Amino acid sequence: MGLEVGMAALAWLLIPLVAAFGAGLWGTWAGRSRRTGDGPELDGYARFREAMEKSHSDAL
């Protein structure tokens, strides 16, 4: 009976340790610096606006 109690206590101690480790990994991943900027998206939007202005001025 002593071994079962010891294993149960060990299991209950390991659960929060594993959860804390997982939370640390998630925090590291969520806090990483993302290097993708808005540059390509803004360039595409600028090209779209230029094309729309050209087609609108041609219609007049």
Side-chain angles (χ1 to χ4, degrees):
M1 177 133 177
L3 183 62
E4 293 175 5
V5 172
M7 292 300 288
L10 182 62
W12 280 107
L13 289 173
L14 284 177
I15 291 170
L17 289 175
V18 170
F21 181 73
L25 285 177
W26 178 82
T28 301
W29 178 77
R32 73 191 187 284
S33 60
R34 295 176 177 93
R35 299 187 192 271
T36 59
D38 291 336
E41 294 176 12
L42 292 177
D43 292 340
Y45 180 66
R47 286 193 306 271
F48 170 75
R49 285 187 52 185
E50 289 173 10
M52 292 304 289
E53 287 174 3
K54 285 180 185 176
S55 67
H56 182 64
S57 65
D58 291 343
L60 294 176

